[in-house]
Structure formats: C-alpha cells, structure tokens
Amino acid sequence: MLTIFNSLTRKHENFIPIEPNKIRMYVCGMTVYDYCHIGHARSLISFDMIRRYLMHKGFDVHFVRNITDIDDKIIARANERGVTIQELTNEFIQAMHEDCAALNVLAPDTEPKATEAVAGMIELISGLIEKDLAYAVPDGDVYYRVRRFKDYGKLSNQNIDELRSGERVEVESKKEDPLDFVLWKRAKPNEPFWESPWGNGRPGWHIECSVMSKEALGSHFDIHGGGMDLKFPHHECEIAQSEGYHDHPMANYWMHNGFININNEKMSKSLGNFFTIRDVLKYFPAEVIRFFMLNSHYRTHVNYSDELLNQAWNGLRRLYTALNDAPESLPEFDANHPIAVRFAEVMDDDFNTPQAIDLLFEAANLYNKNHDPKDYVILKTLGNVLGILDANPDQFLKSVPNQSDDDSEIIEALIIKRNEARANKDWAESDRIRDELKARNVVLEDKQGKTTWRRETN
C-alpha cells in the first residue's frame, strides 16, 4: 500500500483518497516576476514525479498548480522595466512554461491565476470577518486574528506563544496582535487595485491559495504540496484561513520538498550562487537536471554542483547506452517482473526515487548481459514513470546542451576519415583520429562493421 510522509502529522501514513481511485492535488506555483531558478526546478520535478507515479498506479489525478500574478515584487519589477504588470507576468508565465516543457514537467490540469480569483478572495475574507476571525482597520487593510484559530502552528509544529514578534512576523502598530497577518491590502498610489467592502486594494499572498484551491478542487481535498520554505508562514496561514472558514480539514496530506544548496551553501543572489533553470541549461541537458534531482529523495536537501551534474549525466548515459541497443520486437510491460515489483515497493514507500533509479541500473545491467527484451521494456517503461528515458537514445548520447557548441558534423567527418584510414591499414592515422575524438569526449564503438559514437563528460 502506498504510504506518504504527512508533514501535518510528521509521520508516514497509508494513503487513502477521499474518493476511491480519484486524487485531488494542489501544489503552490510560481510568483511570476523573474525566470524560474533551480530551487523551483526541485519542486516542479518532485511533484511531477509524484503525480506521474500516482497516475501509473491507476489513480485519476486532478493536478492544480497556481500562478501568483499580483504581488509587491511583481509591481516593483514592472515599474523598474517600465512595462505593465500584465506584460511582465505574461512574459514570465511563458518562460515558466518553456522551462517546464524542457524539464518534462506535465502541464497542470488546472492553472488558476490569482488575479482571476479576487472575487472569491473578497467573499472568503468577508466570511472570516463575520466569524470574528478577521478584522478591518480604518485605512482599509484587513487582518486575520491568529489567536482566534486554536490550531495555528500545527503544520510547522510551533507554539504560538513562542513566535517572537519582529523575527518571523511583521510588526505593525495597527494590528491587534503582532502575529496577525494581512488578508487585504489597501491600494497605494499608482498600484493596481480591486474594489472591495473595505475600499480599493488587493489581496494578501496567503489568501490566494485558500481560494484558488477551493475553486479548483473544493474545500477539502487529498494532497497539498509545495517547497519546505512554504510550510511557515504560507501554508500555516492557508490552513488558518480555509479551516477557520469551512470548519473542516483543508487537505488530508501535506507534502513538502527539500531545499537546494549550491556547493554546500544556501542559494542566494547575495552570495552570487543563484542560478536560473536557463542558466543551467546552457551547460547540461534538461533531462540531466531531472535525473539529478530524482537521485535524491524529494524530502531531503540537495547539494547542487557541476561535478554532481556531470556524475548524473554519465549515469544517464549508461541507461541510454543500454536503450540504444534496442531489440527487434518489444513485448508488453510485465508488472510482475521482479524489478517492476520492487520498483512499486520502493515508490510506494513515500516515493523513494533513489532506490527506484538503482533498479533502473539493475534492469540496464540485466539487458546488457542477457539481451532479454523484457528487461529492455522494464527499463524503458519504469524510466518513463519517473519522466526520464523517453528521448531517442542515439540523439541523447550525442547531445550537447548548447546547440551552438554542437560539433556533430565535425565528429562524423572524422569518423569517416578514420574508417578510410582503417580500410587502408593506416593504423597510425586511425589511432591519431581516435585520440582526437577522445579529446572531444567522444567514445567510439566498432561493431559488426559499423562505427557508432557517443559523448562522455569529463
């Protein structure tokens, strides 16, 4: 049976969907004011893997990932660039979709935008005020009364009295309590706004997901996910809003992926170790990034470095090298194959992708040894469940991340010259060309009168 580590209870639990064979799943998405960074890639890939495996198990998954398209950073960036907010957000939504496609992240079934859900946010805030869980101040801001929600802190396992003012929660004198958080912000000059019972303004960040998840999945759904950095305060505040209003649980299972560290340091722009997905794609194929991420359990923190990416690239090449020797005919996938059975066992244990990938290498070794088409199908199919190994093997083995650096035509010409030298028994020239190709990180294989080649990283 599938077990999931539930961040809410801090233990592994058997997964039982609210509706048989159906899963409603919400994952916090991007605030679209800049390109997605490598930390975003971790979350995108982690929850895409989870979604794919649930689908592989036969569940009907409704997957929702939202877009925050109104926020202080968005307003500031649009002003810096002298463009409208919509122009800015459209640009980075398109860029996000391109990054997701490169990483083989499936498009969400529903992708709500915050600006399209403001009416629902106003309705929810009004309901919280009626229940005395929120209050408006004279200038038009609205705040949530944290101490009125007795379970505040249950997700992040924090005692409300131990939360020190000014460290984790902004202190404002107009609040009744320093812990209270904003639901509605009054409009400032030259900022976008919506009309509301409290005057012109716009929603706070936390209220967005409470409303977008409800409108897409209902007020009670199966899985809520996001990065570990969202556990507090964002997800904690979502729970307070949604459960305070509806008087029942928001989500049965809360899941959080780990952080990305760069060379053992936390990624930050101030440290100069901040990388966008597009930065990394200049040096590594997108599938290598995905494979690298999957080599660590989704809940662990991952150390990112070029050396580790190169190791992942070489590992992925090993798998594609096996797939490049395809049998003439392929049998059906056998779910009772010993490797498929063990794959299901490790993935059912809170999506243990490192052990699942070990089984892919086992399948590749079996196929290389015995050339049994059943092992080939196991390798290919289970790789696809993880969102990898669906490229043309020959093309992948010859690939370079930046096409401007593609020297494939030069390599092919050198191979032709080497074959001519071998035919003329000019072994010195043949060896010289092989050495030149080796210097280009090209590995040759002479088999059945034909020369094939693939790249290797240093």
Side-chain angles (χ1 to χ4, degrees), residues 191-345:
E191 283 190 354
F193 63 85
W194 287 261
E195 294 180 356
S196 82
W198 320 286
N200 294 338
R202 56 188 172 88
W205 177 35
H206 309 307
I207 196 69
E208 296 177 1
C209 288
S210 284
V211 173
M212 287 186 280
S213 62
K214 173 185 174 295
E215 291 182 347
L217 300 174
S219 59
H220 182 208
F221 50 94
D222 296 289
I223 298 173
H224 194 313
M228 200 169 291
D229 57 318
L230 298 179
K231 187 183 293 186
F232 182 86
H234 184 53
H235 289 167
E236 198 74 72
C237 294
E238 278 188 56
I239 289 175
Q241 295 162 165
S242 297
E243 297 187 5
Y245 181 80
H246 297 291
D247 295 315
H248 59 66
M250 181 182 187
N252 286 354
Y253 304 87
W254 288 78
M255 304 180 69
H256 295 90
N257 64 271
F259 296 126
I260 290 283
N261 295 323
I262 309 295
N263 294 322
N264 294 310
E265 289 187 305
K266 183 179 179 180
M267 182 176 66
S268 73
K269 289 184 178 180
S270 62
L271 292 175
N273 63 356
F274 181 90
F275 300 108
T276 68
I277 294 172
R278 296 179 174 221
D279 290 332
V280 182
L281 289 177
K282 295 175 183 177
Y283 304 99
F284 297 95
E287 190 172 349
V288 171
I289 300 173
R290 186 180 182 101
F291 185 70
F292 164 74
M293 298 288 187
L294 295 174
N295 266 283
S296 296
H297 191 276
Y298 78 91
R299 287 192 288 112
T300 62
H301 300 324
V302 171
N303 187 44
Y304 173 96
S305 69
D306 286 352
E307 179 182 359
L308 293 173
L309 264 291
N310 278 323
Q311 291 176 14
W313 199 346
N314 283 328
L316 199 52
R317 288 181 188 280
R318 284 175 54 197
L319 299 179
Y320 269 113
T321 298
L323 291 177
N324 203 29
D325 186 17
E328 291 184 1
S329 60
L330 298 175
E332 294 292 320
F333 172 74
D334 180 9
N336 294 316
H337 188 289
I339 290 180
V341 171
R342 288 159 58 201
F343 182 92
E345 289 173 353

